[in-house]
Amino acid sequence: MLFNVKNTLKLIYPMHYSESVYRYSNEYEVDPMLIFSIMKTESKFFPYAKSRRDAKGLMQLMDITYEYAGGDTTSSKASIYDPDTNIKVGCWYVKKLSDEFEYDNDLVVAAYNAGPANVKKWLSDERYSKDGEELEDIPYGETKNYVNKVLKTYERYNKIYRD
């Protein structure tokens, strides 16, 4: 019975594109379970996903993030949708945010959604952070829900694949 439950959970929480996820999460020293959680939340593993805010691909990258990471959106816009490329840039960006926010997943995930400048602003505002290091509240409802969803998904990935 337990075996069937675990198999069912693996269907709900798949590890699509695992070769790329493991390769780039290892290269950039980020947790692959966090990458799977972001991808599942952002695109449900659909490589051609596009948000109403123009975020693209599996990890819902903005053109500016893609360009900042060295991608060329002018000559090859389709490459942002390439799963391997999108995952590589996404892992690079999660690493950048992890370094910036000292591997605090709450802050990293909030910054992934709302941008690092907003997270820094919230950390310096006593309404949202008492100590300047942790957020007690997130003023953007979308970001608050996003952080909760990604971290809950992250918990589940760890429970299913690491336990």
Side-chain angles (χ1 to χ4, degrees):
M1 182 77 151
L2 182 62
F3 181 71
N4 289 334
V5 170
K6 196 148 196 158
N7 283 340
T8 301
L9 288 172
K10 286 181 179 183
L11 291 173
I12 297 168
Y13 295 93
M15 297 176 87
H16 298 308
Y17 306 101
S18 60
E19 186 178 316
S20 295
V21 170
Y22 280 107
R23 178 180 339 124
Y24 296 121
S25 63
N26 185 50
E27 180 178 332
Y28 293 107
E29 299 175 328
V30 294
D31 188 341
M33 297 304 154
L34 184 59
I35 301 303
F36 285 118
S37 301
I38 290 171
M39 279 197 308
K40 179 171 175 42
T41 302
E42 288 283 1
S43 68
K44 294 182 180 49
F45 298 102
F46 178 58
Y48 300 103
K50 186 174 178 181
S51 77
R52 64 184 186 277
R53 293 194 177 146
D54 212 28
K56 298 171 180 147
L58 290 167
M59 296 194 69
Q60 291 292 275
L61 301 172
M62 299 296 289
D63 284 341
I64 193 164
T65 304
Y66 183 70
E67 290 167 6
Y68 185 61
D72 181 3
T73 58
T74 57
S75 65
S76 58
K77 276 201 181 276
S79 66
I80 197 170
Y81 290 106
D82 172 67
D84 191 68
T85 301
N86 195 276
I87 292 167
K88 180 178 183 173
V89 173
C91 286
W92 170 86
Y93 190 52
V94 169
K95 170 63 171 172
K96 180 187 173 315
L97 295 173
S98 296
D99 287 346
E100 196 167 339
F101 294 104
E102 299 177 2
Y103 288 83
D104 181 319
N105 281 344
D106 290 359
L107 300 179
V108 169
V109 172
Y112 194 90
N113 181 262
N118 282 320
V119 172
K120 287 177 185 175
K121 182 173 66 176
W122 300 334
L123 286 170
S124 66
D125 188 327
E126 288 182 357
R127 293 176 295 174
Y128 310 118
S129 176
K130 301 293 181 221
D131 60 7
E133 293 179 16
E134 292 181 34
L135 290 174
E136 278 106 48
D137 191 23
I138 296 174
Y140 294 1
E142 178 186 328
T143 300
K144 184 188 291 194
N145 291 335
Y146 177 82
V147 169
N148 288 334
K149 189 171 186 179
V150 170
L151 294 180
K152 184 173 272 193
T153 302
Y154 178 66
E155 251 179 59
R156 290 182 179 145
Y157 268 99
N158 279 307
K159 187 90 172 138
I160 295 164
Y161 293 100
R162 287 195 172 140
D163 287 354

